[in-house]
Amino acid sequence: MASSSEKIPGTEDEASNKTLERCLKVLQDAKNDSEQFAALLLVTKVVKAGETDAGTRRRIFDAIGFSFPNRLLVTKESPSGCPNQIFRALGMTLFACFSTNPEMVSHPQMFNKIPIFNEIVSSLMEPGSDITTFTSMIDDSYQCLQALSACSEGQRQLVTQGTVSALCRAYQNQCHGCEKALCLLVNLLNAMGNICWNTCKPELLKVCSMLSEQFATEEGNRKFELCNIMQHFLPTTSTLTEDPIFTACLKNCYTGLFNILNSKLSISQRDPALKLAGLLLAVYGSDWILAGNAETRRKFLSLIVNLACVEVRICLEDPGLEATYSKPDVITACYSIIEFGMMVCVLGDKVHLTEAESRQLVKIMVEAFGAIIGYLKQVKEEQLRDPFLFASVRVLSAWMAEETSTLKQEICEVLPFLIHYAEVLFEYPIRSDNMDSEVKELSLTDSSEAKTWSKDALRFLLPGFCHLSAEDAPRRILISHGFHVLLLRYFTQQWEVFNSWQNAPLSPDDAEMNLQTACGVFLNLAVTEPALIRQEECFSSLLNLLLESLQSMLCSQHYLILAANFTTLGLMISRILADTPVLQGNPASREFFRAAIHFLSKAHTTQNEEPDQKTRIVLTERYQEIWDQISELWFLGMQAFSSCIPLLPWLPQSIIESEWLNEIFDLLTQASPMTVEFDLITAFQCVLAELAKNNKSCKDSMLLKNGVEKASLYGMSILEQVLCEN
């Protein structure tokens, strides 16, 4: 028999249940507020929100409703002998209980109490208040706010109803529960960061300043906690870099990271530091590193790039790749650091390394990229949707775009996989909110990558592929794996995006850049693989698209660079496919060549210049600002255009109708011959000579304009010879 001191199993729970049932009965039968209040006091003593199941909480709510708790919340006076704000505290306890039910937390009555929750968590205790009642109200308010922050509509309501400002005040004043305020701020910033910063910039800056000062000065474990917090707290745009408060925050981040990374670290301590460094470099470039002197800056940059490369090698050279799956966010942050190291070594940056330091960094980055390539070789078909794989391909693409000579053989070995990967993502895009959120966690900077990654690996790969397509060995691999066919599909899709960008995930500028780079690949193929152009049907389709599209771009100055690409590519392919149906008898072909003549003929004019008062051939205003980007295309286009003249019998007549022939001779007549550059003379000569060879009307026109004399004057010997022939 059990002794009187032993508890009989179940008796305590049964007693609580019986008491709760009596309380609920009293609540349902209450005739006035006093009876209802007395019953509520019994309910809160019998049960706490975290100790009841959903069914019980629902019964409590059904018995109470929202009306009475609402009145309790707005009543600040307390009965004689009771702690100050006891009614309000009781109301908060009930709302905290309700907030544990997903159905009730999204109720409008819960949303419209957000201002009260905000007021409570950011309030200071008044003199004479009962500390237990005061802290209980705050804890219950935080429970409600946390429940609201767990759903998207709740997050939106919190941000629009001032919760971010209230939480900032709570943390600044170090109110009771201020660490909960910080956690909630991190959650809201992760969910709606841009909106939070746009609406509460001053308050968030003050908290950011407090956190960064702590991060710079703390010496214990708190420093590593802050390292994690700062990753989420920093805005993911660089718009605040001119603000002196934020500049000080970045300086503090530099100080804190420098202290951490110069110490002996465990893995758990090193990982958040690498993630924070990766974020800062991805968003703010090197400005935050410029806190110390030049030698310190170089030392710090070398240190973080070395650490990132070592981390990548440790994780990706692991035979089981366990680290790859356990901490992809850390490796992705290391990718960001390595990419910045590339920018410094290859392109130059504000952090100027010595030649020896640069060589050493390149060497260790080569080893890291060797590990990345090794990882790509192990990827299985079922892993192609892994966001970390996308991040790995992206950073390798950056290396391929800037450093094509190093690791060329290794890159050639993985080229077939990269083509297959790009094709799979393009042909079978993934539309998964969960997957998008995973990519957002890895992307460091913003969510745009998460929206587009699943079908657009090509936008990262194309610059590197453009370089590789100019070299024999990698070009053969690209062709043998049908990359040109995939590229045409991609080109067509990007052109559709460009034409209807209002409804597209990419901006027209993104699509324009993708089209330009794709044109570069196709141009390399047109120059080096004319037999392929003739054999593959896809190039006829490409030419048809170019023929139909060029005219629409020439009207806009903004798209003149893309027009230059379309013009030159179209001309290069036309000289190979001149005898095919796509050009012969196709009205669009005549429209295209009229547009091409317009593009080529409007680049130059004459101008009388100081100090010698000689008339020179100069660029027109429209072409001046972009000439560095299109000059090679213009000269190649002139050469390709001249090659088309003997192949298309109707082309000389189009030139005559356009007045281009007269315009060229006007330029040569007005200019001082010694001022005209040799390349420009050569470009004019190749067009004029072909016209004179292939069309009597053009030749006669040139002779009437003293063409022989002009040719001799400008050293155009080929043109002079043609014009002198009977």
Side-chain angles (χ1 to χ4, degrees), residues 388-551:
F388 175 71
L389 172 59
F390 179 80
S392 302
V393 169
R394 184 185 182 282
V395 74
L396 180 61
S397 299
W399 177 264
M400 290 163 56
E402 302 298 341
E403 188 60 51
T404 54
S405 58
T406 311
L407 291 173
K408 187 186 299 182
Q409 180 56 43
E410 290 82 353
I411 288 172
C412 283
E413 291 172 5
V414 82
L415 261 184
F417 167 77
L418 294 175
I419 296 168
H420 175 64
Y421 177 69
E423 184 171 26
V424 167
L425 293 192
F426 179 71
E427 297 293 347
Y428 307 103
I430 303 165
R431 305 188 184 281
S432 163
D433 293 337
N434 291 336
M435 193 66 75
D436 282 352
S437 65
E438 289 180 49
V439 179
K440 184 178 178 181
E441 291 178 8
L442 298 181
S443 65
L444 292 176
T445 52
D446 57 46
S447 60
S448 62
E449 186 170 292
K451 296 175 183 175
T452 59
W453 80 273
S454 58
K455 60 180 178 181
D456 206 1
L458 272 169
R459 70 188 175 113
F460 299 114
L461 287 165
L462 270 181
F465 282 4
C466 188
H467 291 313
L468 293 170
S469 64
E471 301 183 31
D472 292 342
R475 184 172 64 251
R476 283 194 295 271
I477 297 172
L478 290 171
I479 293 171
S480 65
H481 286 82
F483 177 68
H484 51 290
V485 179
L486 170 62
L487 186 58
L488 174 62
R489 294 203 293 271
Y490 182 73
F491 189 89
T492 304
Q493 184 246 17
Q494 290 296 293
W495 174 247
E496 291 170 356
V497 169
F498 180 80
N499 263 342
S500 57
W501 63 271
Q502 293 91 341
N503 301 316
L506 291 173
S507 73
D509 292 338
D510 291 328
E512 181 187 13
M513 186 57 64
N514 294 338
L515 288 167
Q516 288 179 31
T517 313
C519 282
V521 179
F522 283 131
L523 269 174
N524 287 338
L525 295 178
V527 170
T528 59
E529 303 286 343
L532 178 72
I533 304 296
R534 293 190 193 92
Q535 293 165 6
E536 294 282 346
E537 182 62 30
C538 68
F539 290 102
S540 293
S541 301
L542 171 61
L543 180 57
N544 202 54
L545 188 154
L546 297 170
L547 297 181
E548 295 174 352
S549 307
L550 177 59
Q551 185 67 43

Side-chain angles (χ1 to χ4, degrees), residues 213 608 645 717:
E213 286 175 12
N608 199 329
I645 292 172
S717 57

Side-chain angles (χ1 to χ4, degrees), residues 555-611:
C555 302
S556 171
Q557 172 69 20
H558 186 68
Y559 300 127
L560 190 56
I561 297 174
L562 185 59
N565 279 273
F566 273 40
T567 300
T568 303
L569 179 58
L571 291 171
M572 290 293 290
I573 298 178
S574 291
R575 69 192 179 93
I576 300 171
L577 300 181
D579 59 348
T580 64
V582 72
L583 281 175
Q584 298 295 338
N586 182 358
S589 63
R590 294 178 184 256
E591 288 295 324
F592 169 81
F593 275 90
R594 276 194 283 269
I597 290 169
H598 180 86
F599 168 75
L600 295 171
S601 66
K602 301 305 178 184
H604 296 90
T605 187
T606 55
Q607 181 176 305
N608 199 329
E609 293 188 346
E610 299 288 348

Side-chain angles (χ1 to χ4, degrees), residues 287-308:
D287 288 348
W288 63 280
I289 300 178
L290 306 184
N293 58 45
E295 184 178 350
T296 305
R297 291 198 299 269
R298 295 200 307 271
K299 179 182 176 183
F300 181 72
L301 176 66
S302 298
L303 174 65
I304 58 175
V305 174
N306 269 279
L307 287 173

Side-chain angles (χ1 to χ4, degrees), residues 1-9 11:
M1 181 180 292
S3 68
S4 60
S5 63
E6 292 176 324
K7 292 181 179 179
I8 301 173
T11 55

